[in-house]
Amino acid sequence: MATINDNYLKLPGSYLFAEIARRVAAFKEANPDADIIRLGIGDVTQPLPPACIEAMHKAVDEMANADTFRGYGPEQGYSFLTEAIIEHNYKARGIEIGTDEIFISDGSKSDCGNIQEIFGEDNKVAITDPVYPVYLDTNVMAGRTGTLNEDGHFEGVTYLPCDASNNFAPELPQERVDMIYLCCPNNPTGTTLSREELTKWVNYAKENESVILFDAAYAAYITEEDVPRSIYEIEGAKDVAIEFRSFSKTAGFTGTRCGYTIIPKTVKGRAKDGSLVEFNKLWNRRHTTKFNGTAYIVQRGAAAIYTEEGQKQVKETIAYYMENARIIREGLQAAGIEAYGGVNAPYIWLKTPNDMPSWDFFDKLLTEVNIVGTPGAGFGPCGEGYFRLTAFGNRENTVRAVERIKNKLHF
Ligand code: MLT
């Protein structure tokens, strides 16, 4: 009989957002009239920028004509998109990235999840706690961890606790690690790492021959000057860091799907025979073997955000969500609830009143005021006693949700 990948059995029953969806569906079935406001999964609500729509319509028309039709494209992405990204997101900030150091994909969740395939099985992984579950779960699936302990931690993983006592900024690990996942601006805490803090990480990675897997999916939400938009703003990072970016939260592509990964050729790992190998080469091999490129129409839409109109429209939508973030953060604070994030990120991370366990708070919020959020404990044991709300709702629902929390929720 075929055997299974037993590593999957180490994982808790379901993926965090699948579990939330299940609980909300059950509540809705039992309470069909409940007016539920969803501020749980970080899914956008505003439509795609008109510049993207226009570009995609045009691309659809091209597909209707034999002279302009496109079949398979380059797996790494069309140059009209890679060049626009490099120009706007890197060159403009003084960073040199080659067109063969960027890989367009169907979103950064896939890339963050798949990247571990090009690392050795016995690599030691460090993640923050709390953490976006994809980094951890995919390493569990790959067999890079032991089993789940009673305290909610996997054996063999280096956890970097982040809570209010360290301003949600992870400290360097005590032991040597190989792969370090950093998410900045952070999902779920909404906090960021300063230039100085990131420099510490880059130096650690250099000294320890580690690789930083830097998830910058929310980079477009940064408002403060001292927060790097890209890890490559830090000297030496091009030798030790892989960066993930996404069009999902930047331009409303959660359903349209497009993201990209930067792997500078200078980032290297050691083969069993001791030789140094470029991760770029391995990812290119993987990408061309397992992926046939992001849809042409989608890439045209993505490239349109770099036009003058596109930039203006994207900024307007981001400002809209960030105003939601302000409304939530200030509303919670006015209700006497400690709230973090929401300044450089579309997430607000709140301390549950009276130290209520996160899932209890989830149930209370859902049943008493019909609001869906995400329990902090779902992101790791250090998230216990915290709760995440997203600013991606529409304005009306965001305002209504804050009013409900302020006026109808009692402790
Ligand atoms: C989240 O809610 O954390 C995000 O939507 C997850 C994602 O981008 O995959």
Side-chain angles (χ1 to χ4, degrees):
M1 184 181 275
T3 58
I4 59 154
N5 176 350
D6 271 76
N7 293 314
Y8 276 67
L9 303 182
K10 297 176 192 164
L11 292 165
S14 40
Y15 182 63
L16 173 61
F17 293 104
E19 173 61 19
I20 291 173
R22 190 190 65 73
R23 291 191 187 210
V24 175
F27 177 78
K28 183 75 185 162
E29 198 178 325
N31 304 275
D33 297 330
D35 174 19
I36 297 175
I37 300 178
R38 293 168 198 268
L39 302 180
I41 191 164
D43 196 4
V44 295
T45 51
Q46 298 307 295
L48 291 171
C52 299
I53 295 293
E54 200 182 311
M56 287 199 278
H57 277 165
K58 208 164 144 232
V60 169
D61 289 339
E62 285 178 59
M63 296 300 255
N65 184 328
D67 293 337
T68 48
F69 170 79
R70 312 267 183 145
Y72 293 129
E75 291 92 342
Q76 301 86 346
Y78 284 100
S79 58
F80 62 77
L81 179 55
T82 54
E83 282 166 14
I85 290 170
I86 288 170
E87 195 62 38
H88 284 84
N89 290 347
Y90 295 99
K91 227 184 193 150
R93 301 190 75 82
I95 303 162
E96 286 299 322
I97 297 290
T99 46
D100 51 0
E101 294 180 312
I102 175 166
F103 298 85
I104 307 295
S105 71
D106 62 352
S108 71
K109 178 179 180 180
S110 325
D111 290 352
C112 288
N114 292 327
I115 197 75
Q116 46 75 29
E117 280 184 30
I118 60 171
F119 286 80
E121 263 173 42
D122 46 7
N123 274 340
K124 178 99 178 153
V125 177
I127 55 159
T128 59
D129 175 11
V131 75
Y132 177 44
V134 173
Y135 319 142
L136 176 62
D137 287 7
T138 53
N139 277 292
V140 175
M141 291 169 179
R144 232 169 255 116
T145 74
T147 48
L148 184 59
N149 288 332
E150 289 224 326
D151 67 359
H153 285 144
F154 277 92
E155 204 63 58
V157 174
T158 298
Y159 288 86
L160 311 167
C162 297
D163 57 23
S165 71
N166 58 6
N167 278 328
F168 306 96
E171 275 139 44
L172 296 177
Q174 299 299 313
E175 70 269 30
R176 218 208 123 258
V177 298
D178 301 295
M179 298 158 66
I180 304 160
Y181 287 88
L182 292 178
C183 179
C184 180
N186 191 262
N187 177 14
T189 66
T191 52
T192 50
L193 295 172
S194 67
R195 208 166 288 279
E196 195 186 332
E197 281 163 330
L198 265 184
T199 303
K200 276 196 311 203
W201 283 98
V202 168
N203 292 343
Y204 172 93
K206 284 192 101 122
E207 280 157 26
N208 290 280
E209 298 196 322
S210 334
V211 173
I212 298 174
L213 300 154
F214 191 75
D215 186 353
Y218 301 93
Y221 287 82
I222 298 171
T223 56
E224 291 178 329
E225 255 326 292
D226 186 45
V227 182
R229 272 56 175 172
S230 160
I231 192 160
Y232 304 122
E233 289 180 36
I234 308 297
E235 204 187 319
K238 273 181 74 181
D239 296 332
V240 292
I242 292 175
E243 179 164 291
F244 306 95
R245 295 267 195 126
S246 169
F247 289 90
S248 289
K249 318 296 159 82
T250 311
F253 275 55
T254 52
T256 309
R257 309 305 306 148
C258 194
Y260 59 94
T261 291
I262 306 284
I263 312 189
K265 292 190 164 175
T266 35
V267 185
K268 294 181 184 158
R270 218 168 273 286
K272 284 217 168 77
D273 66 6
S275 59
L276 287 175
V277 178
E278 292 172 10
F279 280 104
N280 179 297
K281 243 191 196 154
L282 304 184
W283 188 248
N284 192 48
R285 184 68 169 84
R286 185 205 177 273
H287 211 61
T288 49
T289 305
K290 293 195 173 183
F291 188 61
N292 258 340
T294 301
Y296 171 70
I297 298 164
V298 171
Q299 291 193 58
R300 278 290 180 201
I305 79 161
Y306 297 110
T307 60
E308 207 180 310
E309 272 305 285
Q311 281 293 289
K312 198 169 142 264
Q313 292 160 3
V314 160
K315 283 187 182 135
E316 273 165 20
T317 307
I318 289 174
Y320 174 91
Y321 291 134
M322 289 309 280
E323 174 62 8
N324 285 351
R326 187 195 64 75
I327 291 168
I328 298 173
R329 197 184 62 247
E330 291 181 4
L332 291 172
Q333 286 165 347
I337 298 176
E338 258 177 63
Y340 306 90
V343 174
N344 294 302
Y347 293 124
I348 288 86
W349 187 241
L350 63 101
K351 184 86 198 72
T352 58
N354 308 325
D355 286 329
M356 186 180 279
S358 303
W359 279 104
D360 291 0
F361 190 70
F362 172 88
D363 288 335
K364 185 175 173 70
L365 217 56
L366 180 60
T367 55
E368 290 182 20
V369 288
N370 301 160
I371 295 170
V372 182
T374 309
F379 296 101
C382 278
E384 183 56 281
Y386 288 93
F387 198 81
R388 193 192 78 176
L389 291 174
T390 139
F392 287 126
N394 66 34
R395 178 64 43 76
E396 191 195 343
N397 279 346
T398 301
V399 170
R400 287 166 66 226
V402 171
E403 288 307 313
R404 284 188 198 175
I405 292 173
K406 279 207 305 211
N407 303 326
K408 299 207 176 125
L409 199 63
H410 302 292
F411 297 97

